Amino acid sequence: MAALAAAMSDASRMKILCALMDGRAWTATELSAVSDIAPSTTSAHLSRLLKANLVTCLSQGRHRYFRLYSASIAALLENMMGVSFGAMQPPKTRVPAELQRARTCYDHLAGEIAVGIYDYLFANAWITSDGNALTPLGKAQFSQLGVMLDAKTKRKKCCACLDWSERKFHLGGHAGAALFQCFEQQGWIEKVPGYREVTVTAKGQAAFSQYFGLANVLN
């Protein structure tokens, strides 16, 4: 734990990790720009993060891309954001509206809309009481929505992920990632390139109201 904390205990490295929270793979040059540090310094920071298994490197041709090592690292960062935010200012009052409404939490949806969806899943028995699994009804409903679930996934199939801005749960794990992918493919949401904010399209607003009863949240 001390070694992990030491690897994260640098403002520039935290900027790099936070940039990677959008779920994409970034080049060192892109991370250098977003972190506002020199390329040589970025390389040193990435080396430290790689050694600590906080990020992983993917090579494609002549290019090297970096992304978070795993969903568990993303969950740790999301929780740290919530702790640090709560320690420095009153909850929710200064959260940017775009981030509060909808954002990525690595590869699944977070924010007010995601919490509303989780509440609907729980109230209608699509997920178990602890949020760790889809019920048979939930699996059937996901299938009707067009959500593609992998029965052989080695990842946690479903989990309740604490949302740092809402202080309530949103859906994480494989089910959360599959649901997010479905929303994108259906054209209900759109990622903001280079940022964690997610935009809900007009089609998405109608769909979220129809399927998850989110009319009050969307207005």
Side-chain angles (χ1 to χ4, degrees), residues 36-207:
D36 195 27
I37 53 180
S40 59
T41 307
T42 303
S43 296
H45 286 312
L46 285 170
S47 178
R48 182 71 182 275
L49 294 172
L50 282 165
K51 186 177 180 180
N53 286 335
L54 287 166
V55 302
T56 185
C57 181
L58 309 171
S59 296
Q60 189 162 338
R62 293 180 297 173
H63 300 285
R64 299 176 73 215
Y65 297 89
F66 298 88
R67 64 181 306 161
L68 292 181
Y69 187 81
S70 66
S72 61
I73 298 300
L76 172 63
L77 292 169
E78 182 81 2
N79 286 335
M80 289 179 67
M81 290 175 188
V83 172
S84 60
F85 180 83
M88 296 180 65
Q89 51 191 341
K92 295 185 66 172
T93 56
R94 298 182 188 175
V95 178
E98 296 84 0
L99 281 178
Q100 181 175 331
R101 182 178 175 84
R103 64 181 181 274
T104 56
C105 178
Y106 190 50
D107 60 358
H108 57 273
L109 190 65
E112 187 178 11
I113 291 173
V115 166
I117 291 173
Y118 184 92
D119 288 345
Y120 179 89
L121 301 182
F122 179 80
N124 290 274
W126 290 23
I127 54 177
T128 56
S129 59
D130 57 8
N132 287 333
L134 292 173
T135 63
L137 173 62
K139 292 178 181 178
Q141 294 294 336
F142 267 43
S143 179
Q144 287 189 16
L145 287 173
V147 181
M148 303 298 292
L149 297 172
D150 181 4
K152 297 181 179 179
T153 181
K154 295 181 180 180
R155 183 178 176 183
K156 183 180 291 186
K157 293 186 177 181
C158 190
C159 70
C161 186
L162 184 62
D163 195 286
W164 68 261
S165 65
E166 298 302 302
R167 302 301 197 273
K168 296 175 69 177
F169 293 120
H170 61 245
L171 188 67
H174 172 62
L179 192 63
F180 185 90
Q181 186 175 41
C182 175
F183 292 165
E184 276 196 297
Q185 292 173 343
Q186 299 272 18
W188 297 356
I189 60 173
E190 295 177 349
K191 288 183 180 179
V192 179
Y195 297 91
R196 294 185 65 196
E197 292 96 279
V198 170
T199 300
V200 179
T201 65
K203 184 179 179 181
Q205 291 187 14

